[in-house]
Amino acid sequence: MFAFSALALFGAGLTGCAINRFERREAWRDQAEQACIARKLVQPTTYVSLAREIEGPGPCGMQQPFRVTRLGNGTVALKQRMTLACPALAEAEAWLADTIQPAANLYFGVPVAEVNAGSYSCRGRNNQVGAKLSEHSFGNAVDIMSFTLADGHVITVKGGWRGTEAEQAFLREVFVGACARFTTVLAPGSDMFHYDHIHVDLARHDPRGLRRVCKPLLKFESQLYAADGTPRPMATPRPPTRQPVAPQAPADMEEDDPYGLSPTSSRSGGNRYARSPSPSAPAAYAAAPPPRPRVAAAPAAEEDAEPTTAHGPSDEPIY
């Protein structure tokens, strides 16, 4: 009886915090890091520095994490420091350069000066106890909560997704550009957990890493890229429309706890519902540019399951 009780307590210790301390990190993750660093897609600068290896708890961590205090070679501040693996950081920098800044200049006439984003956090998906580990657990994901423009105007994902015309268009350009670079993109309307931020990651959804999840489906025509993915000639920046912004609740930030001092979030997150329901059966989908070249990595041993939302596996098209 005593042995059975001890075994039960041991099992609870493994599952209660959603981290199996004996689980090993998938080989493709370390291989992707090594390939990215070998190609010098990210190099240390004044604002990007190499940190010591993050090993655990369990499979959490990365071989060569980068600590980031600013993006865009120092031109874009971060509200809080980020810790990312090389592949995610390389794609985030490219996303900023080829989509976010051009979109800000197009719709507001000024660039983005600061980003409020979350990065590494060893925890289950959507902060749910017992869930599969989030890509944040491997420095392979970024959550964007808001952008601050050079003129001081703040665009939150929560308020701007259905905000002014310019804010809506800007955030949809950001979303479409993300879908061309990342394998998972979840924005308001995708499920009840992403009503206030845009989540992007480089998860493997199939052995070759070709399958994509990009939600919600949008009826939106990009002004940055034509339907075939070629950049459009830069239009004259539109004058910004300034309207009073309703008070927003504090942003739901990811923890930056890279060395596992607090392996799980204290938030339950189970009672939040999407404020913006997914659009139903749109006539056309957002035209996104074709995927850019990505870091090559060895195939995974077996197919990963599609990310699970509150409504079960999606039957929507996979990007």
Side-chain angles (χ1 to χ4, degrees):
M1 182 66 179
F2 175 78
F4 176 79
S5 300
L7 183 61
L9 289 173
F10 177 74
L14 292 180
T15 59
C17 64
I19 299 174
N20 183 343
R21 295 178 182 273
F22 297 98
E23 183 181 350
R24 300 186 64 180
R25 195 155 56 239
E26 297 150 300
W28 68 264
R29 298 185 183 279
D30 293 342
Q31 292 164 2
E33 276 194 76
Q34 293 163 6
C36 178
I37 291 171
R39 294 174 59 189
K40 298 183 178 180
L41 298 182
V42 175
Q43 298 192 60
T45 67
T46 304
Y47 314 102
V48 178
S49 59
L50 275 170
R52 61 185 174 89
E53 180 180 4
I54 301 174
E55 190 65 37
C60 289
M62 60 205 92
Q63 287 186 332
Q64 292 186 281
F66 286 89
R67 290 289 186 87
V68 187
T69 58
R70 282 178 170 265
L71 294 171
N73 197 27
T75 61
V76 178
L78 292 172
K79 199 170 185 66
Q80 60 266 341
R81 179 186 61 194
M82 294 200 302
T83 301
L84 290 170
C86 181
L89 177 55
E91 292 294 350
E93 287 277 22
W95 181 35
L96 174 70
D98 67 21
T99 298
I100 296 174
Q101 292 293 35
N105 281 300
L106 174 62
Y107 292 103
F108 298 101
V110 291
V112 169
E114 183 183 70
V115 176
N116 183 13
S119 56
Y120 177 78
S121 178
C122 183
R123 59 170 176 78
R125 286 180 178 174
N126 303 315
N127 286 297
Q128 299 300 292
V129 174
K132 182 178 179 180
L133 284 178
S134 167
E135 289 298 308
H136 288 287
S137 302
F138 311 102
N140 203 32
V142 176
D143 283 347
I144 302 290
M145 279 74 79
S146 67
F147 300 94
T148 301
L149 303 180
D151 62 1
H153 182 55
V154 178
I155 305 167
T156 66
V157 173
K158 181 179 179 180
W161 194 257
R162 293 187 178 276
T164 67
E165 181 181 354
E167 289 173 339
Q168 290 190 47
F170 167 72
L171 290 176
R172 280 154 179 76
E173 294 282 7
V174 169
F175 172 82
V176 168
C179 290
R181 286 198 165 275
F182 296 91
T183 58
T184 311
V185 183
L186 301 171
S190 61
D191 59 34
M192 70 179 184
F193 298 106
H194 296 89
Y195 68 95
D196 61 353
H197 66 280
I198 297 175
H199 169 94
V200 299
D201 69 46
L202 293 171
R204 283 281 189 93
H205 301 305
D206 64 84
R208 293 189 297 169
L210 300 178
R211 195 178 187 191
R212 291 171 177 253
V213 175
C214 185
K215 297 191 292 184
L217 298 177
L218 296 177
K219 184 178 180 180
F220 174 74
E221 182 179 357
S222 172
Q223 299 303 305
L224 295 178
Y225 297 95
D228 61 359
T230 57
R232 295 181 187 273
M234 185 56 68
T236 303
R238 303 179 183 183
T241 301
R242 295 290 183 260
Q243 295 183 4
V245 179
Q248 302 292 333
D252 179 17
M253 300 181 187
E254 298 290 346
E255 299 175 15
D256 186 3
D257 181 25
Y259 296 100
L261 300 180
S262 302
T264 57
S265 171
S266 59
R267 298 185 298 105
S268 64
N271 296 322
R272 294 184 295 159
Y273 292 88
R275 305 295 176 83
S276 304
S278 302
S280 58
Y285 303 134
R292 277 63 165 185
R294 303 174 50 74
V295 177
E302 59 184 24
E303 181 173 353
D304 288 341
E306 180 178 347
T308 302
T309 68
H311 307 291
S314 171
D315 57 0
E316 297 173 343
I318 298 298
Y319 286 69

